Amino acid sequence: MTTTDVIAPTRATAGDVGLLILRIGIGAAMLQAGLIKAFDFGTTVEFMAAGGWRMPTLAALMVTTAETLGGVGLILGVLTPLAAFAVIAAMFDAWAVNVAAAAFWSMPFNAPFLIGLGATTVLFAGAGAYSIDARIVGRSTWSPRTAVGVLVAAAAAAALTWVALNDTNPIHFTTPA
């Protein structure tokens, strides 16, 4: 077996149930966040503008789409690496928003950090046997190389989005003036 092979499940295990629970929890949190933004899009745009984001409508559309579609993808376990990518990238930037107002270590383990960590766990562990990926596509896990590539791409997408649309450094070692 090479590192690019994918592994199809042979039978469901307790680990698959755990992955289902994790996917539903992380996915539901993301879906809720995305739908709140979608149903009150004007407030989302205002929040982005107040936070200093250039092109706040584009920024709001990007985060709303990433959270909503990433959440649905994780809940269903469909195109799981792509769903995890969307959630991880959105949570990197949400984490940065939360830590940008104070010294970095004053609150580093906030909700976006934990949700991003959960999505990263699903990315590396796979969607499990109770997923569309496993049942229809025949893939319950992806290679470690694919997972690392997706994680690096999500971090790069988040950093690029932050620099292009916010243009500030969110990491401070002391509280900003």
Side-chain angles (χ1 to χ4, degrees):
M1 181 180 297
T2 67
T3 58
T4 57
D5 290 335
V6 293
I7 302 164
T10 54
R11 62 183 182 87
T13 66
D16 292 305
V17 174
L19 287 170
L20 174 65
I21 293 166
L22 179 62
R23 281 194 356 258
I24 290 172
I26 297 298
M30 284 294 77
L31 180 59
Q32 178 191 22
L35 291 177
I36 287 170
K37 289 172 180 68
F39 288 124
D40 195 5
F41 194 72
T43 300
T44 305
V45 172
E46 289 172 15
F47 175 80
M48 301 303 268
W53 291 79
R54 291 189 293 264
M55 297 188 280
T57 303
L58 175 62
L61 181 62
M62 289 171 63
V63 71
T64 302
T65 302
E67 290 178 354
T68 304
L69 295 180
V72 169
L74 287 179
I75 290 169
L76 298 176
V78 63
L79 301 172
T80 305
L82 185 59
F85 170 92
V87 170
I88 293 165
M91 291 303 96
F92 266 125
D93 281 342
W95 174 83
V97 166
N98 286 343
V99 300
F104 155 71
W105 49 75
S106 66
M107 194 177 75
F109 304 115
N110 52 37
F113 175 85
L114 296 174
I115 291 169
L117 190 63
T120 302
T121 301
V122 171
L123 173 63
F124 279 88
Y130 300 111
S131 67
I132 291 176
D133 285 348
R135 297 297 178 185
I136 295 177
V137 181
R139 297 179 175 175
S140 67
T141 62
W142 299 77
S143 73
R145 179 177 290 171
T146 298
V148 169
V150 170
L151 181 61
V152 168
L160 180 63
T161 300
W162 187 275
V163 169
L165 297 179
N166 194 292
D167 196 31
T168 62
N169 179 4
I171 308 297
H172 307 286
F173 294 104
T174 60
T175 300

